[in-house]
């Protein structure tokens, strides 16, 4: 048996998470706004911008979601908190909705409406609920967010 | 530790979502040929179907397969993406070697991916931006190549009126002095008329001179599949333009024709006919490409509807007023076959079966499983109207397993001795089909 090793939270992971996590959320929120604009005025630039935001948002989400996975299910110093676990699943479903939405946004012109709008609503709503749950928890929400 | 239901559920949902995408075609292409094609319901995809065989060219003496009573020979090879053909009065044959100008910007994530997949087929090969002249050597019977006209800009259509050669570059119609028997044009040329030149999603500009030599008809394709680049860039597109040869002035002759790639005069009635590439991504069996007589002032549906009043819901705003007056095309050629060549055969070299009707060069599908097109077909005409089924005449451009592409037919013409000529832009060759008894 190896002697127990005292692990410390990775500073790199903390930095990457804090930088990229809001970027992904911001891009999905921007895509939602642009989708609503496109649904109302059918000016193609908004839909194309939304398609890029969703695609880039998904790439930006990879690292923070993996860091979150480790933090929630392999926490240092005891058991992960219920709010973190709920937020993990909400974010995961939000990401799945965004992946499907990226494909919906590959359709031509107004074929993106209305599914694209609803999927953007779903992603942003799930992220918001997850983030609120984490924020309302007592203690150290920065570390587990 | 018991397995978490999410670890099963999430991948399952994803797998179902993605597999619901690229479905195989279910309608027999023959049922989508003729005046009244079967049109299944339109659907939207998560991932549109894509199947592109890999361009490998013709190995050794390999050649396309021809129907009974015909034979085929290669009359030119090592060309640079030959697209269109024109037989001159002295029997010389012009071969337009060209491909798209590559000016369409990548504006969506989808274009990044689609561009990579399509380039595998060899259809993305670099075009020569030139015209090569083929002349048959009387002694040997071999066709000799001469570089005829260079430094063109994605040319497609070419026509001769008197002693003036007209070439439709992607952005303008150019005119050049031509002397009978010349094997090279040194005239720098002059611009006769400008053509729609932004984006050039569909870049080919097909060209046909009127019988009296006073007008040129130009087929201008749309700037999108179905308005995904906005409606503003569709100005004077998806149309046949009529250019006055004397002044260069032009007007829209007919519209709503998504990509009219071949224009010809039907010999019996003298009417203008076009082959048109229809829209994609609403099904493996939608929408059939077609050929149709083109009426002056006629509107043929794109983008608002197809085959008359079948509304396309991907366009916003909708235009019920235009849908109401959309003309149903005359003859469907099956879905995604990509017709790029049209020729009404008037010779006597081929057997009687092939006289008086239309040959169609089907460049072949990129978004359908199984593949469709990749052949030259024939439709019989009676009294100036297409009649009966569409018959494959020259086949074998793609391998039987649909993985490799040897060639792809584009423009068609008729040689002085009545052979059917086929430009092949994947095999980089020109083929001549003759009666096996000739």
């Amino acid at each position: 048996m190896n002697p127990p090793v005292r692990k410390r939270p990775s500073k790199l992971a903390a930095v990457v998470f804090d930088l990229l996590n809001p970027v992904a959320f911001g891009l999905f929120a921007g895509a939602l706004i642009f989708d609503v604009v496109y649904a109302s005025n059918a000016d193609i630039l908004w839909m194309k911008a939304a398609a890029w935001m969703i695609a880039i948002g998904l790439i930006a989400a990879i690292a923070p979601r993996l860091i979150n996975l480790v933090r929630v299910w392999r926490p240092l110093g005891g058991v992960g908190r219920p709010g973190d676990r709920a937020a993990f699943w909400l974010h995961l479903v939000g990401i799945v909705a965004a992946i499907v939405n990226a494909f919906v946004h590959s359709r031509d012109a107004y074929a993106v409406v209305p599914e694209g709008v609803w999927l953007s609503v779903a992603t942003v709503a799930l992220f918001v609920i997850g983030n609120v749950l984490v924020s309302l928890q007592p203690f150290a929400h920065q570390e587990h967010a | 530790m018991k397995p978490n239901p999410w670890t099963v559920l999430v991948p399952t949902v994803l797998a179902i979502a993605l597999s619901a995408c690229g479905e195989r075609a279910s309608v027999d292409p023959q049922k989508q040929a003729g005046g009244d094609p079967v049109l299944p319901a339109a659907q939207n995809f998560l991932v549109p179907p894509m199947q592109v065989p890999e361009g490998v060219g013709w190995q050794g003496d390999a050649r396309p397969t021809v129907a009974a009573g015909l034979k085929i020979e290669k009359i030119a090879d090592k060309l640079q993406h030959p697209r269109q053909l024109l037989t001159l009065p002295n029997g010389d044959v012009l071969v337009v070697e060209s491909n798209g100008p590559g000016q369409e910007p990548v504006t969506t994530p989808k274009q990044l991916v689609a561009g990579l997949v399509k380039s595998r087929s060899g259809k993305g090969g670099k075009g020569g931006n030139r015209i090569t002249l083929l002349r048959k050597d009387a002694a040997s019977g071999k066709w000799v190549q001469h570089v005829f006209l260079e430094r063109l800009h994605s040319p497609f259509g070419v026509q001769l009126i008197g002693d003036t050669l007209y070439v439709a570059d992607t952005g303008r119609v150019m005119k050049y002095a031509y002397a009978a028997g010349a094997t090279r044009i040194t005239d720098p040329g002059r611009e006769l008329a400008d053509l729609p030149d932004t984006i050039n999603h569909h870049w080919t500009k097909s060209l046909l001179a009127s019988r009296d030599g006073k007008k040129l008809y130009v087929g201008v394709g749309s700037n999108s599949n179905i308005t995904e680049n906005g409606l503003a860039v569709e100005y004077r597109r998806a149309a046949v333009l009529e250019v006055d040869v004397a002044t260069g002035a032009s007007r829209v002759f007919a519209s709503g024709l998504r990509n009219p790639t071949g224009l010809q005069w039907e010999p019996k009635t003298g009417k203008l006919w076009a082959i048109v590439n229809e829209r994609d991504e609403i099904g493996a069996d939608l929408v059939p490409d077609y050929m149709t007589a083109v009426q002056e002032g006629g509107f043929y549906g794109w983008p608002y509807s197809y085959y008359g009043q079948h509304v396309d819901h991907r366009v916003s705003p909708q235009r019920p007023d235009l849908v109401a007056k959309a003309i149903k095309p005359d003859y469907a050629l099956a879905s995604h076959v990509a017709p790029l060549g049209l020729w009404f055969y008037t010779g006597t070299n081929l057997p009687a079966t092939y006289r008086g009707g239309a040959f169609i060069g089907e460049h072949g599908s990129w978004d359908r499983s199984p593949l469709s097109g990749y052949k030259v077909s024939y439709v019989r005409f009676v009294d100036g109207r297409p009649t009966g089924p569409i018959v494959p005449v020259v086949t074998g451009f793609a391998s039987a397993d649909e993985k490799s592409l040897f060639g792809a037919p584009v423009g068609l013409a008729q040689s002085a001795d009545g052979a059917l000529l086929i430009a092949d832009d994947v095999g980089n060759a020109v083929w001549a089909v003759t009666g096996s008894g000739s």
Side-chain angles (χ1 to χ4, degrees):
Chain A
M1 295 244 322
N2 294 325
V5 177
R6 170 99 184 142
K7 289 185 181 172
R8 282 179 300 175
S10 160
K11 283 183 181 160
L12 177 66
V15 168
V16 169
F17 184 88
D18 285 348
L19 285 178
L20 286 183
N21 197 45
V23 169
F25 177 68
L27 285 165
F28 292 139
L32 169 59
I33 294 166
F34 284 15
D35 278 336
V36 170
V37 173
Y38 178 63
S40 64
N41 73 5
D43 192 343
I44 200 76
L45 99 92
W46 300 100
M47 191 276 270
K48 290 192 176 184
W52 284 112
M53 288 170 125
I54 292 163
I56 300 167
L58 282 168
I59 293 166
I62 293 170
R65 285 302 107 209
L66 289 175
I67 292 165
N68 180 255
L69 172 84
V70 175
R71 284 178 172 180
V72 172
W73 301 103
R74 291 280 180 274
L76 300 174
V79 184
R81 296 166 305 164
D84 292 335
R85 276 181 260 160
F88 172 84
W89 292 118
L90 290 165
H91 279 101
L92 185 65
V93 178
I95 292 287
V96 170
I99 291 171
V100 176
N101 205 9
F103 287 107
V104 168
H105 275 74
S106 75
R107 293 177 186 166
D108 286 334
Y110 220 63
V112 174
V113 180
E115 290 96 324
V117 183
W118 292 122
L119 286 163
S120 280
V121 168
T123 298
V124 172
L126 290 161
F127 270 53
V128 166
I129 297 168
N131 289 344
V132 168
L133 284 179
V134 170
S135 301
L136 294 181
Q137 286 188 125
F139 314 125
H141 66 270
Q142 288 278 332
E143 187 183 320
H144 285 284
Chain B
M1 203 169 131
K2 75 176 184 186
N4 191 311
W6 285 96
T7 56
V8 182
L9 188 62
V10 171
T12 311
V13 169
L14 261 183
I16 291 170
L18 290 176
S19 65
C21 315
E23 61 146 33
R24 285 177 72 82
S26 56
V27 178
D28 176 3
Q30 280 294 349
K31 290 190 175 148
Q32 292 200 311
D36 203 16
V38 172
L39 300 173
Q43 56 183 129
N44 283 312
F45 296 96
L46 286 184
V47 183
M50 275 188 107
Q51 184 188 345
V52 181
E54 188 176 0
V56 295
W58 300 97
Q59 308 299 320
D61 201 31
R63 61 184 67 191
T65 312
V66 286
L70 302 173
K71 64 181 181 185
I72 188 164
E73 64 169 328
K74 192 188 284 180
I75 64 166
D77 61 4
K78 298 186 175 66
L79 295 163
Q80 296 172 22
H81 221 253
R83 304 284 289 194
Q84 288 290 298
L85 304 168
L86 178 72
T87 303
L88 298 175
N90 69 347
D92 291 347
V93 174
L94 299 185
V95 186
V96 181
E97 298 163 87
S98 184
N99 208 347
Q103 70 186 80
E104 182 173 11
V106 173
T107 61
T108 61
K110 171 200 202 171
Q111 283 172 295
L112 272 180
V113 179
L116 295 173
V117 177
K118 279 196 213 178
S119 63
R120 289 177 69 239
S121 67
K123 291 180 179 176
K126 190 165 161 47
N129 278 324
R130 66 176 190 185
I131 295 176
T132 290
L133 179 142
L134 307 180
R135 177 169 292 174
K136 195 172 191 173
D137 182 69
S140 67
K142 298 273 182 216
W143 292 78
V144 182
Q145 297 184 22
H146 302 269
V147 174
F148 181 69
L149 180 55
E150 292 180 287
R151 288 186 287 281
L152 299 168
H153 184 59
S154 289
F156 193 73
V158 57
Q159 291 283 283
L160 181 71
I161 302 175
D163 56 3
T164 307
L165 189 79
Y166 294 87
V167 179
D169 280 347
T170 193
R172 56 189 183 171
V173 178
M174 293 290 292
K175 56 189 282 190
Y176 302 87
Y178 164 79
T183 58
R184 185 171 182 86
I185 282 188
T186 49
D187 177 6
R190 279 189 300 133
E191 178 175 317
L192 172 70
D194 66 314
L195 298 172
D197 193 28
T198 57
I199 303 177
N200 281 324
H201 176 88
H202 290 125
W203 62 271
T204 62
K205 304 298 195 297
S206 50
L207 199 58
L208 181 68
S210 64
R211 299 286 199 204
D212 62 9
K214 289 183 175 166
K215 307 285 184 195
L216 282 165
Y217 294 86
V218 189
V220 183
S222 66
N223 238 341
S224 60
N225 174 33
I226 185 72
T227 71
E228 72 276 12
N229 290 323
L231 280 162
V233 295
E234 304 297 349
Y235 176 62
R236 283 163 70 93
R237 281 188 174 266
V240 172
L241 305 182
E242 183 189 70
V243 179
D244 183 68
V245 170
T247 64
S250 64
R251 62 165 183 145
V252 174
F253 180 79
S255 60
L257 299 150
R258 180 174 171 276
N259 191 15
T261 47
L263 302 171
Q264 293 296 337
W265 300 111
E266 198 286 316
K268 203 136 193 171
T269 58
K271 282 185 180 169
L272 180 63
W273 277 71
I275 42 170
V276 175
N277 285 240
E278 257 293 354
R279 63 205 74 198
D280 299 314
E281 297 189 26
I282 48 174
D285 298 309
L286 281 178
V287 171
D289 300 327
Y290 61 81
M291 65 175 167
T292 191
V294 180
Q295 303 171 22
E296 182 172 354
F299 173 73
Y300 290 81
W302 193 91
Y304 304 103
S305 66
Y306 53 90
Y307 279 87
Q309 281 65 45
H310 293 84
V311 173
D312 196 320
H313 296 283
R314 296 172 295 177
V315 186
S316 182
Q318 297 266 307
R319 288 289 300 274
D321 55 323
L322 288 175
V323 171
K325 66 175 202 173
I327 300 167
K328 185 180 175 186
D330 291 301
Y331 193 96
L333 302 168
S335 299
H336 309 304
V337 298
L340 292 184
L342 173 65
W343 186 259
F344 289 100
Y345 186 75
T346 54
T348 53
N349 185 306
L350 301 184
T353 329
Y354 299 116
R355 293 175 197 168
F359 285 100
I360 296 132
E362 301 175 6
H363 199 226
S365 63
W366 58 270
D367 59 349
R368 188 181 190 272
S369 288
L371 300 177
S372 62
Y374 295 107
K375 61 182 187 290
V376 177
S377 302
Y378 181 78
V379 177
R380 202 159 68 94
F381 272 61
V382 175
D383 296 328
R385 303 288 308 164
T387 307
I390 185 163
V391 182
V393 180
V394 187
T395 56
F397 287 92
S399 65
D401 64 3
E402 302 194 337
K403 295 232 166 24
S404 306
L405 191 59
F406 311 122
V410 196
L412 305 175
Q414 183 180 320
S415 71
D417 56 3
L420 176 73
L421 304 179
I422 305 166
D424 169 358
D425 71 349
V426 171
N428 287 319
V430 176
W431 303 94
V433 178
T434 50
S436 53
S438 66

